């Protein structure tokens, strides 16, 4: 049994994770942390009371519940400190919160190695999204003209999404650096061409009704190819989160990306 604690437990993803962990026979839910402390997690996810109360202080929660794994779905401003606390207590962070900087990832890697405790980060826990990224990388070898449109719910804090940046990075591995579009193009309104990552334009849509969606559009002579993935609800992320909880203890240092856990 893997002992799991959830940080951001009262949030949209946190509640889904509580449910998924509760239902998996190889995982044991031992604690939950959120700013909105005090509720029994049974009340949060609509099951009978469990005796596990959401706590406000992560250190106290870790010391009392002794988890093996801390699943984090909080906020970009909080996740780094949570990961550091977990690693210093030899608890493996499984991080879904997006928005970590490269510097923070490097520090998490160092801390994981120093404490001999693996850490795992997935910009996207949906297996279909990983396949979309892999297929985009393959397509970019033959169709290097590409732009990315990512669409998310309007409460999302960071833009572009971690998945869009991850997709651009994977495409950059196989595509020569180039600027997309007309070399003389100009924006009549600032931002019209979206974010520019090494010449790949990324457009971020934020609207109520969306969960997490992405299109990677390739253009060629007389043809376009669109690779699209849709997470239609938060259940789409749960098989990936459960897999990461089970596999993280067998990893070394910091591992980034669900593709690295697929057999
Ligand atoms: P959410 O509904 O806002 O949930 C975040 C929860 O964390 C809220 O209850 C929030 O409380 C709480 N929180 C804030 N500060 C905290 C702290 N210091 N300690 C513990 N809890 C704290 O957000 P969400 O939609 O669940 O998304 C959470 C993160 O996951 C976002 O970064 C999102 O981009 C990411 N995400 C990743 C994936 C993936 O596959 N990797 C998929 C979906 C979402 P307040 O409301 O009071 O701030």
């Amino acid at each position: 049994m893997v002992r799991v604690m959830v940080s951001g437990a009262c949030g949209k993803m946190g509640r889904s994770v509580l449910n998924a962990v509760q239902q998996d026979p190889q995982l044991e839910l031992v604690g939950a942390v959120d700013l909105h402390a005090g509720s029994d997690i049974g009340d949060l996810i609509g099951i009978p009371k469990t005796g596990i109360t959401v706590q406000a202080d992560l250190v106290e929660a870790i010391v009392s519940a002794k988890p093996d794994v801390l699943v984090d779905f909080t906020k970009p401003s909080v996740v780094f400190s949570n990961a550091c606390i977990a690693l210093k207590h030899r608890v493996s962070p499984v991080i879904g919160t997006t928005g970590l900087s490269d510097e923070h990832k490097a520090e998490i890697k160092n801390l994981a190695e120093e404490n001999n405790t693996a850490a795992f980060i997935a910009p996207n826990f949906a297996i279909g999204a990983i396949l979309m990224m892999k297929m985009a990388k393959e397509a970019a070898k033959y169709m290097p003209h590409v732009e990315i449109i990512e669409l998310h719910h309007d409460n999302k804090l960071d833009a572009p999404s971690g998945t869009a940046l991850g997709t651009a990075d994977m495409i950059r591995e196989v595509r020569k650096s180039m600027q997309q579009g007309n070399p003389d193009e100009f924006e009549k309104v600032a931002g019209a061409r979206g974010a520019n990552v090494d010449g790949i334009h990324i457009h971020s849509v934020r609207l109520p009704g969306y969960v997490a969606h992405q299109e990677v559009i390739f253009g060629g002579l007389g043809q376009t190819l669109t690779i699209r993935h849709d997470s239609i609800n938060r259940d789409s992320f749960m098989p990936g989160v459960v897999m990461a909880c089970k596999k993280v203890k067998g990893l070394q240092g910091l591992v980034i990306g669900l593709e690295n856990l697929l057999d």
Side-chain angles (χ1 to χ4, degrees):
M1 290 283 266
V2 180
R3 296 169 64 79
V4 179
M5 177 172 284
V6 180
S7 179
C10 299
K12 294 179 284 299
M13 286 297 289
R15 286 171 202 238
S16 295
V17 175
L18 293 177
N19 240 318
V21 172
Q22 273 288 104
Q23 285 172 23
D24 193 289
Q26 291 167 40
L27 302 179
E28 185 185 1
L29 186 60
V30 297
V33 181
D34 199 285
L35 296 181
H36 309 273
S39 315
D40 185 284
I41 59 161
D43 296 334
L44 273 182
I45 59 175
I47 60 169
K49 284 199 191 300
T50 59
I52 301 170
T53 306
V54 179
Q55 291 176 262
D57 189 290
L58 179 59
V59 175
E60 277 177 23
I62 286 178
V63 169
S64 63
K66 300 184 176 51
D68 300 311
V69 171
L70 176 74
V71 179
D72 191 287
F73 280 98
T74 55
K75 285 181 161 184
S77 57
V78 171
V79 54
F80 176 65
S81 141
N82 282 358
C84 295
I85 290 171
L87 285 168
K88 285 176 187 162
H89 289 83
R90 302 200 169 219
V91 175
S92 284
V94 165
I95 298 174
T97 312
T98 50
L100 275 170
S101 65
D102 288 345
E103 291 74 24
H104 282 163
K105 286 179 196 162
E107 278 194 56
I108 290 172
K109 180 175 184 289
N110 287 340
L111 263 184
E113 287 166 0
E114 273 168 26
N115 289 283
N116 203 16
T117 305
F120 179 73
I121 300 174
N124 198 320
F125 276 102
I127 285 162
I130 304 311
L131 297 176
M132 176 251 309
M133 293 162 85
K134 280 176 171 265
M135 289 171 193
K137 181 176 176 180
E138 187 61 19
K141 290 180 191 165
Y142 308 100
M143 297 182 79
H145 296 275
V146 55
E147 301 214 0
I148 298 172
I149 304 176
E150 55 96 341
L151 312 91
H152 282 81
H153 58 89
D154 58 346
N155 289 320
K156 185 167 175 60
L157 292 172
D158 54 319
S161 70
T163 304
L165 290 171
T167 308
D169 280 343
M170 286 172 73
I171 290 172
R172 286 164 70 198
E173 288 172 23
V174 297
R175 172 183 117 136
K176 285 202 188 101
S177 183
M178 61 186 273
Q179 285 303 316
Q180 201 56 55
N182 189 319
D184 297 326
E185 73 181 11
F186 61 94
E187 292 180 327
K188 286 192 279 186
V189 177
R193 292 284 289 123
N196 185 332
V197 177
D198 201 15
I200 302 171
H201 291 253
I202 304 179
H203 311 270
S204 298
V205 179
R206 295 290 177 266
L207 284 171
Y210 282 129
V211 178
H213 316 255
Q214 181 168 294
E215 282 186 7
V216 189
I217 307 175
F218 297 87
L221 208 54
Q223 58 189 317
T224 64
L225 167 68
T226 301
I227 302 173
R228 179 173 173 123
H229 175 260
D230 296 276
S231 278
I232 52 177
N233 63 39
R234 290 180 177 79
D235 291 346
S236 61
F237 304 114
M238 293 308 119
V241 173
V242 165
M243 185 198 296
C245 289
K246 291 178 186 172
K247 292 195 172 180
V248 65
K249 281 288 172 193
L251 303 175
Q252 302 270 316
L254 170 64
V255 175
I256 301 178
L258 197 66
E259 61 278 15
N260 296 306
L261 301 190
L262 299 178
D263 294 327

